[in-house]
Amino acid sequence: MGTTLFAGLLSMALALLPGEAERRARLQAELDAWRAEVKAPGAVAAVAWPDREREPLVAASGLSRKVPAQPMPLDGRFFSGSIGKVVVATVALQLVQEGVVTLDAPIAAWLVDEEWFERLPNHDTLRVRHLLNHTSGLPEYFDAPAALAKLRDEPQVEWSVADRLEFVLDRQPLFAAGEGWAYADTNYIVLGALLEAASGGDFYARAERTVLDPLGLAETTPSVGARHLGLVSGYTTPGRPFPFPAEVAVDGVYCANCQFEWTGGGYVTTPRDLARLAAGLWGSDALLPAERRAEMTSGVAAKLTPGERYGFGCTLRDVKLGATATRAIGHSGWFPGYLSDMAFYEAAGCAVAVQVNTDQGVGLGRLHAFLDRVAAAMVPEEAAAPATPAAKDESPSAPAAKGAASGAANGAANGAAPAASGAARVDGAALDTLRLRALQAKSDALWLQVDGEPVAAEYFNTERAPIELMSCTKSVINLLVGMLIDDGKIASVDAPVTTWFPEFVDAPAGAPERAGGAKLDAAARAQRESVTLLHLLTHTSGLAADATTEKIYASPDFVKFAVESALQTAPGTAFFYNNVACNLVAGIIEKASGMKADDFARERLFDPLGITEFGWTRDATGNPHGMAGCQLHAEDLARIGQLVLQRGVWEGERLISEAWLDASMKPAFPQLGGGAAICGRLWWLDLAPGGAVRAIRADGFLGNYLVVVPSTGLVAVRQRRFPAHQAEMAEAKFNFTDFLSLAQKVVPAR
């Protein structure tokens, strides 16, 4: 019997139990089922309320150590990772309340005398709020290989602020301050230094006095040193990304001096204390007045789970607990060997926290889904009616994870069959197989989400810059063309190339059509005039193109190179994968929109999707490549897949028409056979024997893939960085050619 179904049936049986006993039993049942589902060695969860007289509910499941097997205690302690940022942000806002710090003040007011200050990216434009909400443009200091090497070579060393920041000094900012979003511990390291300078004292001492003690968080201590009382064993992938062993802590002793994290996180704690922190901070005036809490929880778009926003040291999600819509305010945390998540649910009036002693196989979406399920079980019966379909004005693109898991829990409690959330429908064994294969194939990133809910988010090295999509760029180009069709700026895909490039009708002097330098005859000119945009989009233009791209890259102007290319075959009569034609499409986008293709992509696609960090390679003349060249993070490429899955709608706004997507996701010239039988308009298709589309794919060199499976709600991304893997290009085993088949097995057909 599936663990999720078991939990649902058990919840129905427990519905007869009264009050707190019922809630405690439900918490235990949910935790047992979820821990088995995600295959964590052990886990502890807690529920707390703003009323400190009400005792939190706590449940433990599994093992605190695998060998020898030791049961997980209720008071087992874990590293909470980045959840410590909640404490840091709270101290900052307390100092704002006291008039010591101002949110819009330049950080130079407190840090200008530091030796490292003027070498800090964006140092002269940074404000306090930029650090608090990760809009500073500062790079992540632990992305630097030298930082990990230092931790490997000197695991017990004590780090200073300057030691941490040396890995970002003199680097280029990710973006201008306030003009993007990128999560980085660096923000909170700088903020920690600022808070100590402003308050004139030690950060940990201040936080204990004004945050921990007022809420009675006696089980929470700074993560300084290697030995921590009550710390459970934690498990990680050896050497990835940190240079640590598989079992990172034994008998309360960690394998390194954990002080390196400091105000990027910096605490060892329990779920009971985390739940108390969330409830006391966001459910009462115990730490901050309402005005400051409102500032803290006014978020900006963030690259986390779909729709999730980031405030000052907290994340914000809109969820449904059955029929009850609410906001979940919280934070998650990763520390090698441990994962944590907590949230306060405003409508439910309670906070939920969970911690596990592994950082393997438990994505952020699965953590959120567990919290939502438990919160739903805590909602009073009169408010916990079974979930209903979204109202007409609620975006069909809103992440399916919103309320999906919690709806399942409430449905079970009310006697209905439990609805399966995206994470609940995942075949754990198949996902583990995919992860292992991705690791063996030397992947750089793996991202899977189901119904908008991330179920795997793996980065296999420390470099976190956007990754070149290779030919997956072509599928992005398709969407841009569709938008111009929708806008009426391109009349039809049947429009000839000469609509935008009249000179296309004349082949270059050296082309076969002009043997001996003769002018093109009427028949040859008519053939060139008959090449349409549709031919370019379907690799049937007949334009001369090699199987490699060397001649293209040797040209200073990719568009001119395409315009002047000869015809090898009559348009529409043969399929040949054609990079030359795709570069010409990028030129058509510029002619039709009045903007470079990458600028048009930013305005019409990336900005609406919340994609703030991307790159796009241009040729020497300034033309964005159409055949390749776009660089995105895995989670952002998944956003594009989610847009396709959601039929062109994102957060209530239609970005591209269903008509365009439907036309693009079917073979345009199936009669030509070969690649034409499985190629739409710059998208590849996986077809069932009867011709139905099972999956939609964007494929790129080195095994870069975006896969969308409409029937199961799966979006899957695999990325491999160039030129990091240039030496292995000829080795097919690293191209992960079985990615599509393995990814489809992760979510069985509904």
Side-chain angles (χ1 to χ4, degrees):
M1 181 183 295
T3 54
T4 304
L5 177 59
F6 172 80
L9 294 173
L10 185 55
S11 293
M12 285 189 282
L14 293 170
L16 299 176
L17 297 176
E20 294 296 278
E22 174 194 355
R23 291 189 176 93
R24 193 179 303 275
R26 285 183 178 174
L27 175 62
Q28 186 68 59
E30 292 284 6
L31 182 64
D32 288 339
W34 180 79
R35 185 194 61 78
E37 180 183 301
V38 300
K39 297 181 174 62
V44 180
V47 181
W49 290 265
D51 180 4
R52 286 188 53 202
E53 298 300 316
R54 187 174 181 179
E55 189 65 23
L57 305 178
V58 184
S61 182
L63 302 174
S64 65
R65 191 178 185 193
K66 294 180 182 179
V67 181
Q70 298 173 2
M72 180 66 73
L74 291 173
D75 60 353
R77 296 213 302 154
F78 305 72
F79 288 97
S80 59
S82 286
I83 288 180
K85 292 180 175 66
V86 174
V87 178
V88 179
T90 302
V91 169
L93 289 169
Q94 288 173 336
L95 291 173
V96 170
Q97 183 67 18
E98 295 167 15
V100 176
V101 171
T102 305
L103 289 174
D104 292 310
I107 68 169
W110 298 277
L111 300 176
V112 69
D113 292 332
E114 297 291 340
E115 291 184 2
W116 44 262
F117 178 73
E118 291 190 357
R119 297 172 58 201
L120 195 69
N122 285 339
H123 67 275
D124 53 343
T125 56
L126 287 176
R127 303 291 187 265
V128 176
R129 69 169 62 248
H130 296 148
L131 302 176
L132 281 163
N133 64 10
H134 297 288
T135 59
S136 67
L138 291 174
E140 177 59 84
Y141 74 99
F142 260 118
D143 273 358
L148 296 175
K150 177 183 176 74
L151 196 58
R152 179 195 64 220
D153 298 338
E154 303 176 81
Q156 302 303 328
V157 74
E158 187 164 306
W159 296 54
S160 67
V161 172
D163 289 337
R164 299 177 181 94
L165 295 182
E166 70 172 290
F167 303 108
V168 302
L169 299 181
D170 301 320
R171 286 170 62 179
Q172 287 296 311
L174 300 177
F175 43 79
E179 295 185 11
W181 189 91
Y183 189 90
D185 280 2
T186 312
N187 290 304
Y188 275 69
I189 298 301
V190 175
L191 183 59
L194 185 153
L195 297 179
E196 288 197 337
S199 65
D202 176 72
F203 168 78
Y204 279 130
R206 165 82 192 207
E208 181 177 4
R209 186 175 72 255
T210 66
V211 179
L212 306 186
D213 285 353
L215 296 181
L217 307 185
E219 296 169 335
T220 301
T221 57
S223 55
V224 176
R227 183 175 296 278
H228 299 277
L229 184 66
L231 178 66
V232 303
S233 292
Y235 299 90
T236 190
T237 303
R240 287 185 177 268
F242 278 50
F244 294 158
E247 188 173 17
V248 292
V250 178
D251 296 329
V253 180
Y254 199 76
C255 61
N257 179 358
C258 308
Q259 178 265 356
F260 66 83
E261 192 182 29
W262 195 44
T263 48
Y267 286 100
V268 181
T269 187
T270 64
R272 174 164 38 210
D273 268 11
L274 290 182
R276 281 173 164 161
L277 171 62
L281 172 58
W282 294 307
S284 76
D285 295 329
L287 300 181
L288 293 171
E291 176 189 1
R292 297 297 170 218
R293 296 202 308 277
E295 287 177 327
M296 188 179 204
T297 59
S298 59
V300 297
K303 292 189 294 185
L304 298 165
T305 60
E308 194 165 3
R309 305 175 305 285
Y310 202 92
F312 293 159
C314 63
T315 63
L316 310 159
R317 295 183 296 123
D318 296 319
V319 302
K320 278 190 176 181
L321 309 181
T324 305
T326 188
R327 187 170 64 158
I329 312 168
H331 212 293
S332 59
W334 173 87
F335 195 84
Y338 305 87
L339 285 168
S340 306
D341 202 7
M342 71 174 191
F344 177 73
Y345 294 82
E346 292 178 315
C350 69
V352 185
V354 65
Q355 294 185 281
V356 296
N357 58 342
T358 181
D359 59 13
Q360 302 167 298
V362 189
L364 186 56
R366 285 183 158 189
L367 289 166
H368 287 350
F370 173 76
L371 298 187
D372 295 350
R373 273 157 51 175
V374 172
M378 300 298 124
V379 175
E381 285 188 14
E382 60 271 16
T388 55
K392 295 272 185 177
D393 61 348
E394 183 169 330
S395 163
S397 73
K402 292 181 182 179
S406 56
N410 272 301
N414 285 278
S421 69
R425 293 190 290 109
V426 167
D427 183 321
L431 181 57
D432 288 343
T433 298
L434 183 68
R435 281 198 182 98
L436 177 61
R437 181 73 182 87
L439 187 63
Q440 293 169 338
K442 298 190 177 181
S443 304
D444 286 292
L446 177 71
W447 183 281
L448 276 77
Q449 57 194 50
V450 183
D451 294 339
E453 178 183 350
V455 296
E458 307 285 350
Y459 292 92
F460 298 98
N461 59 47
T462 58
E463 187 176 354
R464 285 297 308 274
I467 295 174
E468 159 75 72
L469 305 186
M470 301 299 176
S471 285
C472 294
T473 301
K474 294 178 172 73
S475 299
V476 178
I477 288 288
N478 162 277
L479 299 178
L480 303 183
V481 172
M483 290 172 175
L484 290 168
I485 292 276
D486 293 341
D487 292 347
K489 293 183 178 179
I490 293 178
S492 167
V493 291
D494 295 321
V497 171
T498 53
T499 303
W500 303 280
F501 295 97
E503 65 271 30
F504 180 77
V505 75
D506 292 311
E513 298 103 310
R514 294 185 61 178
K519 293 186 69 172
L520 289 180
D521 60 28
R525 288 175 63 87
Q527 192 172 76
R528 290 186 72 86
E529 286 180 323
S530 69
V531 178
T532 67
L533 176 57
L534 180 62
H535 293 136
L536 302 181
L537 293 170
T538 56
H539 302 293
T540 59
S541 67
L543 282 175
D546 294 335
T548 65
T549 55
E550 285 148 355
K551 290 181 181 177
I552 299 174
Y553 281 114
S555 170
D557 188 330
F558 287 14
V559 175
K560 183 180 179 184
F561 182 91
V563 169
E564 295 182 349
S565 291
L567 284 185
Q568 290 183 143
T569 60
T573 64
F575 178 90
F576 186 82
Y577 188 79
N578 201 312
N579 287 304
V580 172
C582 293
N583 290 328
L584 186 50
V585 177
I588 290 173
I589 290 171
E590 180 177 350
K591 292 278 188 177
S593 69
M595 304 169 67
K596 297 289 186 183
D598 52 352
D599 292 332
F600 183 68
R602 179 197 297 274
E603 180 177 297
R604 292 295 302 278
L605 182 62
F606 297 156
D607 283 353
L609 293 181
I611 297 173
T612 58
E613 188 178 4
F614 78 98
W616 203 308
T617 308
R618 294 185 176 188
D619 65 21
T621 308
N623 301 307
H625 298 184
M627 63 182 184
C630 181
Q631 300 116 40
L632 293 173
H633 291 292
E635 57 264 44
D636 287 340
L637 183 53
R639 289 172 188 249
I640 290 174
Q642 191 70 25
L643 175 67
V644 171
L645 182 69
Q646 294 168 174
R647 310 281 292 156
V649 175
W650 188 267
E651 295 185 351
E653 179 185 357
R654 178 161 293 284
L655 303 186
I656 190 166
S657 68
E658 289 184 284
W660 175 259
L661 294 175
D662 287 342
S664 296
M665 310 306 174
K666 62 184 181 183
F669 293 90
Q671 70 276 14
L672 299 180
I678 57 170
C679 184
R681 298 176 181 177
L682 300 184
W683 289 90
W684 294 101
L685 310 170
D686 178 49
L687 303 177
V693 175
R694 288 185 299 209
I696 304 155
R697 307 183 341 257
D699 292 1
F701 183 55
L702 292 177
N704 285 280
Y705 303 112
L706 166 63
V707 172
V708 179
V709 185
S711 64
T712 63
L714 173 70
V715 174
V717 171
R718 186 262 186 162
Q719 289 183 299
R720 195 156 169 248
R721 195 180 295 278
F722 179 87
H725 299 291
Q726 195 166 6
E728 302 150 358
M729 289 191 303
E731 298 188 59
K733 65 181 180 180
F734 297 129
N735 287 338
F736 206 167
T737 53
D738 50 348
F739 178 73
L740 171 63
S741 60
L742 291 177
Q744 286 177 297
K745 292 176 182 178
V746 170
V747 187
R750 296 193 245 213

